[in-house]
Amino acid sequence: MSDNVADSLSVSWGQPEIDYLAAMNNGVDYTDELAAFNQAFMEAAAQGISMFAAAGDSGAYDTARDFPPSDGFTTPLTVDFPASDPYITAAGGTTVPFSANFQLGAVNIQKERPWAWDYLQNLGYTGLFPIGTGGGVSVIWPRPWYQMGISGMQNSASGQAFTDSQGLLFGTPFTYQLTNFAVVTCPTCRWMRILKQGT
């Protein structure tokens, strides 16, 4: 960032935001890592560098892939980081038209649509979270100024918690109560292309 040689940067990694919180790490707080990334993203914004991050694959339930309900975990609303950072444009995926034969049956997607794996689940494949591309509400970052006053914005539902009912993470069951901030991510993966075409 400091050399200011790029006009845009894109990352395709992400992790549930709540994974950085102390309660999710046996008391070790990793939110300083988020703050360091935020500082770099803020520097990029100040220099006019557009930042884009993948929004994830699990809708607003980003913990569901690593901590499935079938193993005794709850699925609180949680968003992917770095897509949740206020200095990043979150990019959601799409499923493009295609036809394919799989072991459990054939798929024929007629037109582009939001990312989801429901077509595989409908064939009988299991272990997939079919909801779609990521997005949702941050528990780390307060709602940024540019989202104030926009209709449809809401905070996370109150009383949410992440629960490990079988004690798989730390050997004993636990529940972590989530705080209520709000960030809504922009679910389109075309932003980078649109911005590049406009320059």
Side-chain angles (χ1 to χ4, degrees), residues 55 59-61 77-80 84 133-138 154 182-186:
Y61 302 96
L77 294 170
T78 186
V79 68
D80 217 37
S84 65
T133 193
V137 177
S138 177
Q154 54 185 328
V183 170
V184 173
T185 57
C186 184

Side-chain angles (χ1 to χ4, degrees), residues 7-197:
D7 61 358
S8 59
L9 294 170
S10 175
V11 297
S12 59
W13 61 271
Q15 184 170 343
E17 201 180 58
I18 65 173
D19 285 0
Y20 294 87
L21 302 174
M24 297 292 287
N25 296 291
N26 217 12
V28 180
D29 186 347
Y30 292 101
T31 56
D32 58 334
E33 292 179 18
L34 302 184
F37 275 111
N38 179 262
Q39 186 68 35
F41 301 153
M42 189 184 324
E43 180 180 344
Q47 295 172 179
I49 300 172
S50 300
M51 300 286 299
F52 303 89
D57 295 329
S58 301
Y61 302 96
D62 204 39
T63 60
R65 290 178 75 189
D66 295 328
F67 307 112
S70 60
D71 288 347
F73 295 100
T74 58
T75 52
L77 294 170
T78 186
V79 68
D80 217 37
F81 179 85
S84 65
D85 191 281
Y87 295 100
I88 289 272
T89 299
T94 60
T95 300
V96 297
F98 78 99
S99 296
N101 291 312
F102 294 93
Q103 189 173 18
L104 298 179
V107 171
N108 183 16
I109 305 294
Q110 302 274 326
K111 57 185 177 177
E112 187 173 18
R113 63 188 199 143
W115 174 263
W117 289 331
D118 58 325
Y119 58 88
L120 292 176
Q121 189 178 41
N122 292 341
L123 295 178
Y125 289 96
T126 59
L128 302 170
F129 195 75
I131 297 298
T133 193
V137 177
S138 177
V139 296
I140 303 293
W141 310 110
R143 186 182 303 174
W145 64 267
Y146 54 83
Q147 291 181 344
M148 298 297 183
I150 297 174
S151 63
M153 290 291 304
Q154 54 185 328
N155 289 338
S156 180
S158 62
Q160 288 206 72
F162 178 83
T163 300
D164 174 3
S165 64
Q166 297 180 29
L168 297 176
L169 293 179
F170 305 125
T172 59
F174 78 96
T175 295
Y176 176 70
Q177 298 296 325
L178 302 176
T179 21
N180 297 315
F181 293 132
V183 170
V184 173
T185 57
C186 184
T188 176
C189 60
R190 293 193 174 105
W191 278 107
M192 191 166 194
R193 201 167 45 222
I194 290 168
L195 288 174
K196 291 293 278 181
Q197 290 171 352

